[in-house]
């Protein structure tokens, strides 16, 4: 018996994939990277925006072909798309045998066993399991009252897990779900309310990872700065970080997905003063015009954001700041877009992701008036990306001559004497890399000191010192 797995979407989804892989392997089932060899194929899907949903559907249909061309006897859809569109998926994709919701990854073996008996199942949490088409349709009516709501399940340090990231880096999910209700976002509907892991449990997992040779710990959640609010009655990311930096070893900690509301003075200080914490702030801001922010149900204002960015830069020297923004939110006028453009031009953020607004059903923004035409959104998207590329190049050129520690990730595919890695300024998978010329000795996982020789739009060139 062999299982093949495809993981789509964000790093938070990837952690769910890794724990499902761990559960499967701990039950004596072999894993394979070749889908034609798999008896069971599982795809962990994303449903954040339209493009992610399209990618998930395409992947499911491609894997379904292996029921004819390979050994596949069971096709299982896990993750956000399954949680959100379970009924439609089973109705419209007859090859699909099971749906596993976001709060049911711990029951993956149950899904495998039931589908191999010839049953079609939906597993959403601790009690919802539907075995046949007739029962499914009857049950679906009863489920409408809590449609799309995740059950709030999160793994712990004892959960079996097979990391799919390189040996030197790992993601650690510190909380599941989200208590924010941004008008454009369906994640709280899919994942449910925030559930945080205890500080002690996170420290236990990180200690285990360090003993395995991990050099980079990436803390993730839907809203990392709100971590612990449900457990400790206050945001407790600072307290978590203070415990993590006490662990022995040469490693660094990177914090991702920081919501601005709870980016406190205490958090700024611990990032600034602790050598093991990367001077890297991932702060999704989404827009810079107050009217748009209000319609997005964001508590921030342009003024509060500017004050926060100023404070972060003053108190964390050489900090790298990343953010994401949405263009084309319903009702976005030319004037409001220009405010966003002027904000980016003034702030000169190190890394910026731009997204066109995706209209998601069941969100507050779905029925808002004045939905923006796709061609206008695309025009605004390209305008901002073009401007930001010039800003990024200017920032990277200003780094020429600077010295950084770089975590080596591998070698250039064409030039064996060029290694590639990341400094504190670059997060895995989303930012650029540092290419080190004339470096034949470094191995993945090494941390080496380099001097930057040239800066480009996304990447840096350097030489070892």
């Amino acid at each position: 018996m062999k299982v093949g797995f495809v993981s789509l979407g964000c790093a938070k989804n990837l952690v769910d994939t890794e724990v499902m892989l761990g559960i499967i392997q701990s039950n004596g089932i072999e894993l394979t990277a070749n889908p034609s060899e798999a008896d069971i194929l599982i795809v962990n899907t994303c449903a954040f925006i339209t493009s992610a949903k399209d990618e998930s559907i395409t992947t499911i249909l491609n894997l379904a072909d292996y029921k004819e061309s390979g050994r596949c006897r069971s096709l299982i859809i896990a993750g956000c798309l399954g949680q959100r569109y379970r009924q439609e998926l089973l109705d419209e994709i007859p090859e699909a045998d099971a749906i596993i919701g976001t709060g049911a990854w711990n029951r993956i073996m149950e899904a495998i066993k039931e589908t191999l008996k010839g049953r079609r199942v939906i597993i959403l949490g601790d009690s919802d399991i539907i075995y046949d088409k007739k029962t499914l349709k009857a049950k679906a009516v009863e489920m409408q009252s809590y449609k799309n709501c995740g059950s709030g399940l999160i793994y712990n340090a004892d959960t079996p897990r097979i990391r799919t990231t390189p040996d030197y880096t790992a993601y650690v999910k510190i909380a599941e779900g989200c208590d924010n209700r941004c008008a454009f976002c369906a994640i709280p509907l899919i994942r449910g309310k925030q559930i945080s892991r205890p500080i002690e449990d996170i420290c236990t997992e990180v200690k285990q990872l360090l003993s395995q040779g991990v050099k980079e710990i990436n803390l993730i959640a839907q809203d990392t700065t709100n971590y612990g609010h449900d457990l400790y009655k206050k945001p407790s990311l600072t307290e978590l970080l203070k415990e993590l930096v006490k662990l022995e070893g040469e490693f660094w900690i990177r914090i991702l997905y920081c919501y601005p509301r709870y980016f406190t003075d205490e958090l700024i200080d611990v990032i600034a003063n602790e050598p093991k914490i990367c001077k890297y702030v991932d702060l999704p801001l989404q827009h810079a015009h107050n009217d748009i922010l209000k319609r997005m149900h964001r508590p921030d204002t342009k003024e509060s954001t500017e004050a926060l960015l100023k404070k972060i830069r003053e108190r964390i020297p050489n900090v790298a700041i990343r953010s994401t923004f949405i263009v084309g939110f319903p009702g976005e006028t030319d004037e409001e877009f220009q405010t966003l453009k002027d904000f980016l031009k003034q702030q000169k953020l190190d890394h910026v992701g731009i997204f066109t607004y995706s209209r998601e059903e069941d969100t507050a923004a779905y029925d808002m008036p004045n939905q923006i035409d796709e061609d206008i959104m695309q025009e605004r998207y390209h305008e901002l990306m073009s401007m930001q590329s010039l800003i990024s190049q200017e920032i990277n050129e200003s780094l020429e001559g600077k010295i950084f520690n770089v975590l080596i990730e591998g070698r250039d595919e064409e030039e064996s004497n060029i290694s590639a890695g990341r400094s504190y300024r670059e997060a895995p998978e989303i930012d650029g890399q540092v290419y080190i010329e004339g470096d034949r000795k470094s191995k993945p996982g090494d941390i080496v000191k380099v001097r930057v020789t040239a800066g480009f739009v996304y990447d840096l060139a350097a030489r070892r010192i």
Side-chain angles (χ1 to χ4, degrees):
M1 186 71 67
K2 293 184 178 181
V3 168
F5 219 113
V6 176
S7 188
L8 304 173
C10 65
K12 299 179 287 292
N13 218 36
L14 181 64
V15 172
D16 292 345
T17 293
E18 293 177 342
V19 295
M20 281 190 279
L21 289 171
I23 292 169
I24 291 167
Q25 188 179 71
S26 68
N27 277 271
I29 298 179
E30 185 178 347
L31 304 175
T32 177
N34 186 348
S36 65
E37 295 180 352
D39 302 280
I40 300 121
L41 286 169
I42 305 170
V43 54
N44 198 10
T45 58
C46 180
F48 180 49
I49 56 177
T50 299
S51 59
K53 289 185 284 189
D54 290 343
E55 181 186 22
S56 293
I57 292 294
T58 299
T59 303
I60 292 167
L61 295 176
N62 288 339
L63 291 181
D65 290 341
Y66 288 100
K67 285 200 164 185
E68 298 293 334
S69 62
R71 291 168 43 178
C72 181
R73 298 161 55 197
S74 171
L75 175 59
I76 298 174
I77 301 171
C80 295
L81 193 75
Q83 178 75 35
R84 195 172 184 195
Y85 300 106
R86 48 193 174 267
Q87 177 73 59
E88 295 93 325
L89 290 171
L90 281 195
D91 284 348
E92 298 178 14
I93 305 179
E95 298 90 347
D97 298 292
I99 305 294
I100 293 286
T102 55
W105 48 260
N106 61 327
R107 297 175 68 193
I108 186 64
M109 285 306 302
E110 187 176 340
I112 290 173
K113 291 174 182 177
E114 294 297 338
T115 58
L116 291 179
K117 294 175 184 177
R119 294 167 172 164
R120 302 185 83 201
V121 305
I122 291 180
I123 303 178
L124 298 179
D126 293 336
S127 59
D128 297 308
I129 176 165
I130 303 101
Y131 290 103
D132 59 58
K133 199 72 170 176
K134 182 178 179 180
T135 307
L136 171 61
K137 289 186 176 180
K139 183 70 172 178
V141 176
E142 300 172 25
M143 293 192 298
Q144 292 303 311
S145 61
Y146 54 93
K147 182 173 67 171
N148 292 337
C149 186
S151 66
L153 178 69
I154 190 165
Y155 76 109
N156 59 45
D158 296 325
T159 306
R161 179 180 174 188
I162 295 177
R163 287 192 292 112
T164 59
T165 52
D167 293 341
Y168 50 80
T169 185
Y171 293 104
V172 174
K173 191 191 290 192
I174 62 175
E176 178 61 276
C178 185
D179 291 339
N180 303 306
R181 291 295 181 267
C182 299
F184 52 83
C185 184
I187 294 300
L189 302 174
I190 299 170
R191 293 276 179 174
K193 293 182 178 180
Q194 177 174 289
I195 295 182
S196 303
R197 296 171 59 191
I199 289 175
E200 296 78 12
D201 184 61
I202 297 169
C203 288
T204 297
E205 183 189 10
V206 171
K207 188 181 297 184
Q208 293 169 354
L209 293 170
L210 296 178
S211 70
Q212 297 164 12
V214 172
K215 299 290 184 67
E216 178 181 54
I217 301 295
N218 298 287
L219 301 183
I220 57 173
Q222 198 61 38
D223 177 0
T224 51
T225 43
N226 195 34
Y227 162 76
H229 212 158
D230 52 311
L231 281 182
Y232 306 112
K233 310 308 178 187
K234 65 173 185 175
S236 302
L237 179 59
T238 300
E239 286 72 19
L240 171 63
L241 292 171
K242 287 179 179 179
E243 293 302 314
L244 290 176
V245 297
K246 294 177 183 177
L247 298 177
E248 296 181 0
E250 183 186 17
F251 67 98
W252 64 43
I253 300 168
R254 189 183 303 276
I255 313 161
L256 300 173
Y257 308 107
C258 299
Y259 204 81
R261 180 195 296 183
Y262 298 117
F263 213 100
T264 62
D265 287 352
E266 292 76 17
L267 179 57
I268 293 174
D269 287 341
V270 76
I271 294 173
N273 297 326
E274 292 292 348
K276 289 181 177 178
I277 300 177
C278 292
K279 310 315 181 222
Y280 180 100
V281 172
D282 176 26
L283 201 68
L285 298 173
Q286 312 308 354
H287 213 278
H289 194 284
N290 287 343
D291 290 344
I292 291 282
L293 290 168
K294 186 176 181 180
R295 295 204 297 275
M296 285 181 166
H297 299 173
R298 303 278 292 184
D300 324 300
T301 64
K302 177 175 178 287
E303 293 73 23
S304 68
T305 298
E306 289 173 337
L308 176 59
L309 291 172
K310 184 173 185 290
K311 187 186 299 183
I312 289 171
R313 283 169 162 155
E314 287 176 348
R315 292 164 61 176
I316 309 177
N318 302 312
V319 65
I321 301 177
R322 176 181 179 80
S323 190
T324 54
F325 297 89
I326 296 172
V327 295
F329 188 79
E332 184 186 52
T333 64
D334 290 340
E335 177 187 354
E336 290 166 339
F337 171 71
Q338 185 62 45
T339 298
L340 173 57
K341 184 178 178 181
D342 292 342
F343 175 85
L344 287 172
K345 189 181 297 184
Q346 177 188 17
Q347 291 299 325
K348 295 186 184 299
L349 303 177
D350 299 86
H351 309 286
V352 171
I354 306 293
F355 295 88
T356 56
Y357 167 71
S358 179
R359 192 180 184 191
E360 298 299 320
E361 59 267 37
D362 301 320
T363 63
Y366 184 81
D367 293 321
M368 285 183 177
N370 303 316
Q371 299 283 329
I372 306 298
D373 291 340
E374 181 64 28
D375 57 345
I376 294 177
M377 287 197 285
Q378 289 295 327
E379 181 180 335
R380 290 174 178 175
Y381 166 81
H382 289 292
E383 187 173 343
L384 287 190
M385 288 299 292
S386 177
M387 183 187 75
Q388 180 60 37
S389 66
L390 296 177
I391 294 172
S392 296
Q393 181 165 350
E394 177 186 341
I395 291 172
N396 284 345
E397 287 175 348
S398 73
L399 299 176
E400 293 173 4
K402 302 288 186 182
I403 296 174
F404 297 101
N405 288 327
V406 170
L407 176 62
I408 300 298
E409 297 194 286
R411 311 205 75 76
D412 187 275
E413 293 181 359
E414 298 179 358
E415 297 288 343
S416 61
N417 66 334
I418 297 179
S419 62
R422 292 177 291 103
S423 72
Y424 77 87
R425 296 179 53 83
E426 297 90 24
E429 301 177 323
I430 54 175
D431 297 328
Q433 287 191 305
V434 181
Y435 290 93
I436 307 168
E437 301 167 301
D439 180 19
R440 296 178 178 274
K441 297 180 180 179
S442 299
K443 304 181 299 296
D446 289 347
I447 296 178
V448 303
K449 195 174 292 293
V450 306
R451 189 189 305 276
V452 176
T453 57
F456 305 97
V457 174
Y458 298 111
D459 303 316
L460 299 172
R463 285 192 172 275
R464 279 191 65 166
I465 296 177

